[in-house]
Amino acid sequence: MDPRTLREYADRATGNVGRAGPLWWLVATVLAAFVAFGVYAYSVQVRQGHSVTGVTHTVFWGFYVVNFVFFIGISYGGAITSAILRLTHARWRAPISRIAEGTALVTLLIGAASVLIDVGRPDRIPYLFLYAQPGSPITWDWVAITTYLVGTVIFFLLPLIPDVATYGETAQPTGPRGALYRALSFGWRGTPAQERALLRGIGIMAVLIIPLAISVHSVLAWLFAVTVQPGWHSTIFAPYFVLAAMLSGVATVILVIAAARRAYGLHEFITEKHFRYLTYLLIALDAAYLYFMFSEYLTDGYMQEQPLGHMLQLYLVGAYAPWFWSFAVGGLLLPIALVAVTGRAFVARSVAASLLVVVGMWAKRFLIVILPGVAQPLMPWEVYKPTWVELGITLGLVAAIPLGLMILFAIFPVMSVHEMEEVEGLGELIPLPARRLVPGGSAAPRGRGMGWRPRVVGAAVALAAVAAVAVVGGSRIPVAQGFFAPRVSVQVPPASLAEGPHERMPGTPTTVDTGAATGGDALPMAAAVAVEPSDDITRGYVVSAHVTKDTKPVGQVEVSFYDVIDLLGSRQMLIGSRLTDGQGEASVTYLPAELGHHDLVVRAAEADAVVAEARSSFDARVAAPRTYSREQLPLERFSSGLPLVAAGVLVVVWALFAFAFVGTARRVASGAGDASGPIHASRGVAAKARLEK
Amino acid sequence: MARITRRKVLGGSVAAAGAIAAAFLPVGAEPRAAAVETKTQRQWAMVIDMRRCDGCRKCTKACQTTHHLPTSFEWIKVDEVVTKAGTRYFMPLPCMQCENAPCVRVCPVGASFHTSEGLVLVDQDRCIGCRMCMAACPYGRRYFNDSDPPAFANPFGHPTPEFPVPQQKGTVGKCMFCVHYTEEGKLPACVQVCNMLALYVGDLVADVATNGKETVRLSSFLQDNDAWRYKEELDTGPRVYYITGHGQDLEF
């Protein structure tokens, strides 16, 4: 690229910065109107509750959760495109990396907003932090998304440093914009020390952003997969979601660079080659997604056990077949066909294919989110009918993406000038391989002996060790002991009640013969009760009744034995019923559930009419073994314990963030005076500035 | 200007990261459990004798009256099930009060919690309305308040997890075995009104259950009638037992 072209490049990249034309205002107004309508729709939902949406008691999540998964997925594509292309030193990336990073940032913010819209009590969002439960997938989610958001912001800001510095210096904007550029340039002059620091910071972030994006989308998948809902409870879900995110994300990047190319007139720099490379990536991801989907449905549908069979039926031939087939044919197969045919207008075909993929992936997310709700067995098929509120909010969120990008690129250059100079080898930059071989830098002798890489690795290992010690050592802290020992939250009964026939203690039961004390006069017969320890005391007590009429024993009378128990009022629990024998005797063996005092009631009946009643009491010295014990899971703390391992990794990630951003900013600021080598002023911007003078 | 060394930056990061990590140390998945005092040793359970249920849905209505719920809120829902053999039976579905409750496990703010009596309650002052618990519940026994509940002045002041009346808009509610009744020594509303005596409330520790008229030894009642629990294979430890049947004459 000759200096003249580079000047033109810089001109185009900064062409729109701080200069919003009438067309910009027109488009922005239209988009803002959509956003405003979405805000109005949300205000209706806040006032009236979710009854204005299509969610029901069984279809508990709707459009908002679909949007959440969709937008976060898109964001992933932007970040990973830029990160992978940087790491592989793909030279063609220079004009598109800023757009990809900007798309990642804007869609991530939109995605975070769409899940907050779903929450029933938005006023209590701070509770997520205040009362965070480590075992909840929602907690994992906000932690992962917050981490990813910080990473995305850093990944957007670091490569911006040289551009805002050079632009701010040459264009000299005043007011808040000038202050913003000065703040974000960290005193960048392009000294060798600053170049080294920047390259290091971007390198760390490019490596970090890939696992981070994977983790965010995996956590998003686990939100669904850790439940036992049919169609969600699947081990394939995390990689499936990651793949879906990359697919829809790369498609969106293609759409955004096509739009930016037209809007900012970048045809000279963003060429068909860029679309070709990205589209090949898109098609490869598309094919991989087809493979995942085939694997999912084959395993789900082969035996057709319920309710997976029902769900497949709904997908393939049932109520949701139009959604499914539009997605499968229109969103996956047609894009491949569009790109596979040879011929003209590749860019147009690529954009069409991307649009189909984006719409198709939204439809697929819709099917994933609502299907368990509509496919509950034992319940009538519920149908989810989204309302104007949900549609309005969704449209508002979609409109917010181009609006956000327009504002972003009215403030910052749409293409990275510094990166183009770097990959073009202009501006007398130190060649990349040389810097790789000599960690200290070829030009400047450095005072510190240790290279940055060993230090970062060392710090990471040290932090991981600290985290491990914290986790393992935590077992000595009372609070964490429950994590290792099975937790029993059920109250332990008092010792006197805890054990069953603990001792062979016949004791001396106090038997009180009350005879026919209660209503004896009214009843035709009389009864007497006696309680004695059984011969084998582990079997409890023998409760016997003697039924008489005018002192003569009565046989063939049904006698029911009750224990008086306090359960939400005084209740008579049936011990058993027996017929009296020739001596008027009937008895049952009773091993009570509780030790201590027991009141007994005996009632004799003939043809359902009570003929005699008697009461007695005794002191139980033996009781049945406890039948109740709290259910234990094989691995009691697994669900909150395993994520704790991830928390250890998280600590390392945040430390690396701090190192990459704060470290780079400090080094750039302190490296401004480095005179060990030539200052690499941006030739493109400098040439442009000269031209303007 | 003081020179910022890498050591300081790293040290600062470690401190910051440590603070973040400390926030994630396990503080107990059920922070509210300890706060709930109990007066008794009860471990509540329910037995539903489907031989007796005739599907009149009085339990559902009594529940809605007691808790001032709209008619779509069936905290105890009576499903009609038709078998392949051609018989039909009714299956009342209250909250299963699982001992390994998925809803408690997934709640991001600890709004769903276990009492020491083994009940799963919802603190609607804490609930953020994310509905993750509804996604987690294998029984679909949770209800989202998608609009303002019917107006009702709670004579006891602000609604509590034990007496969540009126419900709060934007939060999730469910059956709580009428703990506001049981702690006063009364039967749950659904058990009170069941003319068919199909609903038993019981205590697993004292090993006794009652439908208001008959009182049985819980363990032998379950054994003798081959009781089972709904989706027991999920290991959620439900506290609701079912006795199979379809309206047989039990001569009671």
Side-chain angles (χ1 to χ4, degrees), chain A residues 262-282:
Chain A
R262 181 168 276 260
Y264 303 109
L266 312 176
H267 292 76
E268 198 181 338
F269 309 104
I270 300 178
T271 62
E272 190 182 309
K273 179 182 75 180
H274 293 95
F275 285 93
R276 247 181 219 290
Y277 289 175
L278 285 174
T279 308
Y280 293 158
L281 182 60
L282 181 79

Side-chain angles (χ1 to χ4, degrees), chain B residues 219-252:
Chain B
S219 54
S220 34
F221 186 62
L222 297 177
Q223 277 167 20
D224 295 346
N225 295 294
D226 300 314
W228 50 275
R229 294 182 296 176
Y230 189 29
K231 299 189 184 179
E232 187 153 15
E233 70 280 6
L234 295 177
D235 234 349
T236 50
R239 285 274 184 98
V240 176
Y241 293 81
Y242 287 94
I243 295 170
T244 306
H246 55 274
Q248 295 99 323
D249 185 5
L250 288 172
E251 298 179 355
F252 63 87

Side-chain angles (χ1 to χ4, degrees), chain A residues 345-652:
Chain A
F346 182 84
V347 174
R349 282 185 283 126
S350 160
V351 168
S354 302
L355 197 60
L356 285 171
V357 166
V358 168
V359 175
M361 289 313 291
W362 194 92
K364 181 72 201 301
R365 263 67 167 264
F366 174 76
L367 287 174
I368 291 175
V369 169
I370 70 148
L371 244 115
V374 296
Q376 293 275 355
L378 275 179
M379 292 184 192
W381 302 109
E382 294 253 359
V383 181
Y384 170 68
K385 295 188 196 74
T387 63
W388 71 268
V389 173
E390 285 156 300
L391 289 168
I393 290 177
T394 303
L395 278 179
L397 290 170
V398 171
I401 294 178
L403 185 63
L405 285 169
M406 281 170 67
I407 294 170
L408 193 68
F409 294 129
I411 301 173
F412 301 118
V414 68
M415 298 187 294
S416 174
V417 179
H418 179 263
E419 211 171 318
M420 180 56 95
E421 289 169 346
E422 189 187 290
V423 298
E424 287 291 324
L426 295 170
E428 296 163 26
L429 289 168
I430 307 157
L432 283 171
R435 264 186 294 196
R436 261 174 195 281
L437 290 169
V438 190
S442 56
R446 300 180 58 200
R448 306 181 187 98
M450 206 162 125
W452 67 272
R453 247 173 276 258
R455 278 167 193 243
V456 172
V457 172
V461 169
L463 280 168
V466 168
V469 168
V471 170
V472 176
S475 63
R476 302 188 183 283
I477 307 164
V479 123
Q481 264 166 4
F483 166 56
F484 296 94
R487 160 185 51 120
V488 183
S489 69
V490 165
Q491 236 170 310
V492 180
S496 64
L497 300 179
E499 294 302 319
H502 45 91
E503 281 172 327
R504 288 167 188 263
M505 269 171 51
T508 43
T510 50
T511 58
V512 184
D513 187 349
T514 53
T518 49
D521 297 337
L523 295 171
M525 297 182 196
V529 192
V531 183
E532 282 170 5
S534 173
D535 293 340
D536 176 6
I537 189 61
T538 58
R539 294 180 58 217
Y541 298 86
V542 177
V543 185
S544 48
H546 184 65
V547 182
T548 53
K549 185 173 188 181
D550 302 332
T551 66
K552 279 183 225 156
V554 187
Q556 297 303 304
V557 182
E558 188 177 30
V559 179
S560 297
F561 299 82
Y562 299 92
D563 189 0
V564 178
I565 282 178
D566 183 59
L567 177 74
L568 307 175
S570 177
R571 312 209 172 262
Q572 300 184 358
M573 184 189 82
L574 182 68
I575 299 167
S577 296
R578 298 283 187 276
L579 287 178
T580 51
D581 58 13
Q583 280 78 49
E585 295 274 355
S587 65
V588 290
T589 307
Y590 180 44
L591 183 60
E594 304 275 15
L595 296 167
H597 183 82
H598 283 259
D599 287 319
L600 298 176
V601 175
V602 169
R603 224 171 271 130
E606 248 180 354
D608 286 342
V610 176
V611 291
E613 191 175 285
R615 285 168 186 272
S616 176
S617 64
F618 76 107
D619 191 35
R621 300 287 181 86
V622 292
R626 284 266 173 260
T627 51
Y628 170 72
S629 64
R630 189 185 169 276
E631 310 246 347
Q632 295 278 317
L633 291 176
L635 301 168
E636 191 70 22
R637 278 286 190 150
F638 190 80
S639 55
S640 57
L642 197 61
L644 213 66
V645 178
V649 178
L650 195 76
V651 172
V652 178

